[in-house]
Amino acid sequence: MNTPSRGPQHNEGADTCQGKPCPPNLARRVKRHAWAPAWNWFAVCAPGLEGPLFQEMRALGLEPLPAEPDGGGVGFRGKLEAGYLANLWLRCCARVLLRLADFRVRTWDDLVRQARAIPWEVFLPAGAPLRVKVSLKGSNLKHSGRVAEEVLAAAAASLGKIGLAPPGLAASQEPAQAIMVRGVDRRCQISLDASGEHLHKRGYRLAAGKAPLREDLAAALLALAGYDGSQPFLDPMCGAGTLAIEAALLARGLPALGEERDLAMLAWPCHREPTWRHLREKALAQALAAAPQPILARDAQTSAIKAATANAQRAGVAADLAIAKADFFQTPPPAGPPGLLAMNPPYGKRLGSVRQAGEFAQRLGAHLASHYPGWRVAVMLYLPQWLEVLGLRDARTLAAPFGGLKVTLAVGKVKG
Ligand SMILES: C[S@@+](CC[C@H](N)C(=O)[O-])C[C@H]1O[C@@H](n2cnc3c(N)ncnc32)[C@H](O)[C@@H]1O
């Protein structure tokens, strides 16, 4: 889904929406229902990334809520500002949801009552295209179509009550606000997507290599390695540069979200543009002017070098990266003290077969042992047994889904 374009927003301290008078009460309702209360939010992540996401949240000063039984993300509580912060900074997060209702449900009346109690008018732009996504598992509410209809009717009634045009159902590819309804057994949650497009789309990676690593996985691998920019960094098989760019963003303390990226919550009537602008400006003001240690990105392919260079420029970290064409097996390690070598080596089909990929892993392991003693290695593996083949000591791993496969993120020391 694309991020919906911004509609008119309520202006702080005035009863106008972009110069036009607000419907009676909207200004007051925004302050009362959207700005004053703390809400529950849920940061969705790929299954397996909850640990690094939890740590990121703590570091950001957001208070994580107790773990959800099904995982799939980490909840937190806070005002609107917490939602902005999460979207701006959480690198391992897929999207941020605002939990509008979380209740026990036995009958349709329970759903209708809860959906009608939500102050939709402060979150949904009048007349905006809307999508309602319903997932039910073991719920008393058996009919997902009817769930969507009831929630849509509640939202329309809420806007209509103060003279605003109701939201309309979005066409399939149309950018839209998205309501998510999740019914598992007796529990039902109604949420609004605050992010829009998946947050791994930071906005910098327009040039993709052949098998680019998703940005949230790259960030999780760096988090597993405890990378903070204070040590030299090398990705010897950088492809489109994702790992090195994520490393540079981290090293400089720059936010995850690119400057050009839009968010669904920036179109909500309750959006506070001055607060959002302040958070963005503060983030940039606090960032380091340059990465404190070298960040090297190498690849054997000219096309990968071009893509990595273009992406690094768009991310605003080109000056922090030394990008060079080089074959890993024919190039000496960088001069200076050992650091972190992070990579997402080619695998399977690209190498012809899983057996050949295993042989490649063996070659990698031998090369690491002979040329990179003292280095730590962070690697994404398509088969967990390659960890042994690589011969890493004291390895820590994390499994996550990627491209229809379960991949292993591993961090360990080079033997020797
Ligand atoms: C799976 S891709 C890496 C994708 C990258 N992480 C990204 O996000 O775009 C593997 C990369 O390894 C590179 N590669 C393969 N063998 C290499 C070698 N011997 N030396 C350097 N690079 C190599 C390929 O050119 C390819 O770009």
Side-chain angles (χ1 to χ4, degrees):
M1 188 202 73
N2 295 325
T3 301
S5 60
R6 297 205 208 179
Q9 281 123 32
H10 173 74
N11 286 351
E12 302 229 5
D15 287 349
T16 57
C17 297
Q18 291 202 344
K20 295 186 194 132
C22 271
N25 296 337
L26 184 57
R28 220 178 49 227
R29 295 181 71 79
V30 159
K31 282 178 197 155
R32 186 158 147 219
H33 294 298
W35 293 354
W39 288 88
N40 282 359
W41 302 81
F42 190 70
V44 180
C45 66
L49 303 195
E50 292 87 354
L53 180 61
F54 183 92
Q55 297 301 341
E56 279 195 280
M57 223 176 245
R58 294 294 287 269
L60 196 53
L62 296 174
E63 198 47 52
L65 293 170
E68 295 269 340
D70 301 343
V74 183
F76 60 99
R77 193 163 171 78
K79 293 188 174 190
L80 207 57
E81 185 175 332
Y84 294 136
L85 277 174
N87 274 296
L88 190 58
W89 286 103
L90 294 178
R91 300 173 201 277
C92 300
C93 178
R95 63 180 64 254
V96 178
L97 305 180
L98 172 63
R99 285 258 190 266
L100 293 167
D102 191 341
F103 52 99
R104 281 179 68 77
V105 68
R106 282 185 307 112
T107 65
W108 287 102
D109 282 351
D110 295 332
L111 173 73
V112 171
R113 201 170 350 97
Q114 292 283 345
R116 288 191 175 233
I118 294 170
W120 292 104
E121 72 284 1
V122 302
F123 296 112
L124 290 178
L130 182 65
R131 201 160 280 127
V132 186
K133 300 177 185 173
V134 181
S135 87
L136 301 173
K137 203 168 112 200
S139 173
N140 277 9
L141 310 174
K142 299 278 179 237
H143 192 304
S144 55
R146 181 166 169 204
V147 171
E149 275 168 29
E150 298 288 6
V151 171
L152 189 64
S158 164
L159 272 79
K161 209 165 51 193
I162 57 168
L164 294 169
L169 276 186
S172 71
Q173 296 301 316
E174 189 181 9
Q177 294 286 333
I179 296 173
M180 271 96 163
V181 185
R182 187 163 176 269
V184 178
D185 302 325
R186 288 286 164 91
R187 189 175 180 192
C188 184
Q189 295 164 316
I190 303 178
S191 309
L192 187 60
D193 177 10
S195 304
E197 273 199 297
H198 196 297
L199 287 175
H200 86 81
K201 295 187 178 167
R202 319 271 201 234
Y204 66 74
R205 205 176 65 196
L206 301 184
K210 282 180 185 155
L213 181 57
R214 231 179 38 221
E215 293 83 339
D216 54 335
L217 282 187
L221 183 59
L222 298 178
L224 191 66
Y227 177 76
D228 61 3
S230 61
Q231 51 197 295
F233 177 96
L234 165 69
D235 179 352
M237 302 187 183
C238 71
T242 318
L243 277 164
I245 293 170
E246 290 294 318
L249 292 173
L250 257 172
R252 288 185 51 197
L254 284 164
L257 200 76
E259 281 187 61
E260 303 301 319
R261 240 307 297 251
D262 207 351
L263 293 172
M265 69 182 294
L266 305 187
W268 296 352
C270 61
H271 166 53
R272 303 185 89 164
E273 182 63 23
T275 307
W276 173 240
R277 217 178 312 123
H278 169 72
L279 292 175
R280 270 212 175 275
E281 284 165 6
K282 189 169 146 199
L284 295 182
Q286 286 176 349
L288 298 180
Q293 291 287 333
I295 299 177
L296 276 63
R298 298 171 173 169
D299 200 287
Q301 299 288 331
T302 308
S303 56
I305 296 306
K306 279 189 186 154
T309 306
N311 289 332
Q313 277 162 355
R314 259 187 301 272
V317 296
D320 300 297
L321 264 52
I323 305 176
K325 186 175 168 189
D327 187 298
F328 180 54
F329 300 105
Q330 322 234 323
T331 314
L340 179 70
L341 184 153
M343 66 177 157
N344 161 216
Y347 73 103
K349 287 183 199 144
R350 185 89 29 79
L351 287 171
S353 69
V354 170
R355 186 179 57 78
Q356 279 171 292
E359 285 166 7
F360 189 79
Q362 214 146 23
R363 203 174 155 213
L364 272 182
H367 190 73
L368 288 171
S370 59
H371 290 76
Y372 287 82
W375 282 71
R376 288 199 319 131
V377 173
V379 59
M380 187 172 109
L381 301 166
Y382 291 88
L383 288 177
Q385 54 268 38
W386 290 348
L387 184 57
E388 209 164 308
V389 178
L390 279 183
L392 299 181
R393 273 195 295 126
D394 306 330
R396 294 199 301 133
T397 61
L398 198 148
F402 179 56
L405 301 165
K406 192 148 205 166
V407 297
T408 301
L409 307 181
V411 175
K413 288 185 196 144
V414 174
K415 276 188 185 155

